[in-house]
Amino acid sequence: MEQWRGKVAIVTGASAGIGAAIVVKLAESGVHVVAIARRENALKELAESVTDKSYGTIYTKVCDVTNEQAVKDVFSWVDSTLGGPSILINNAGVAKVSSLLNGKLEDWEETFDLNVLALSVCSREAYKSMTKNKIDGHIIQINSIAGHGLTPYFGFKMYNASKNAVTILCDGLRHELQLTGSKIKVSSVSPGPVRTDMLADVRKIITDRSTVDTTFLQVEDVANAVITSLATPPNVLIAEMTIIPTGSLIQTHLQPSSQVVENALNL
């Protein structure tokens, strides 16, 4: 990580969970971090929690990444104030339990607006900034094992589709960068179940606790995976990293109970 010491990273969805853990790990490595999210108080608490003076500085920016102009404004500030980002961690995401049989359009739109379109806008702005500032940077998309196949959970297919889109967009971004001769790296980190508030809310509805493996990763595990990907030398790229709890499977093939189906249909 020495190559990134003193450089600037932008982390989306930074106010809690995986995003907050990534911010702390980057700061511990001497990286200056621009933490962006919608919750101002949570961002301030995160910045205040890192008091070690040897760490990188944490800057906070309130931003809804589904607002294109707000994203542009953040990148403009980073360009003019900090000299542009060397790292982008696209972590912001949402998981909605919404069946294809009776789901709400607004839930589907929110899923794709945040998980796919906002990620793409942030990646585009990072590319523009890195290219303008002549930075061979690194973009890391926080994906999911749901992005590599069909998950068995009822009411979870739109999230599933959005993460499959992220997988394609990672390869697509690498391809377009290759065609332009850019040396910017693009990595996908795909965790299995992580103990976060978002997953806890989803599991109340989609899982049958008598049959589903309840082993979780911790948010720090995902943050460490990000650091591992960043720590590679310039000639090495970890294109895809899948991490799961020891003893679990990458994909399970479970049939949901009738109660799980009823819960999801009644949303």
Side-chain angles (χ1 to χ4, degrees), residues 200-211:
D201 291 339
V202 170
R203 281 176 61 85
K204 291 175 184 176
I205 302 163
I206 68 171
T207 62
D208 181 341
R209 293 180 182 276
S210 65
T211 59

Side-chain angles (χ1 to χ4, degrees), residues 63-97:
C63 175
D64 177 355
V65 292
T66 64
N67 182 325
E68 182 182 19
Q69 188 57 54
V71 171
K72 288 182 175 181
D73 290 345
V74 168
F75 275 87
S76 177
W77 179 86
V78 174
D79 274 349
S80 61
T81 307
L82 304 175
S86 295
I87 298 166
L88 168 66
I89 312 296
N90 267 316
N91 168 72
V94 66
K96 292 277 187 178
V97 180

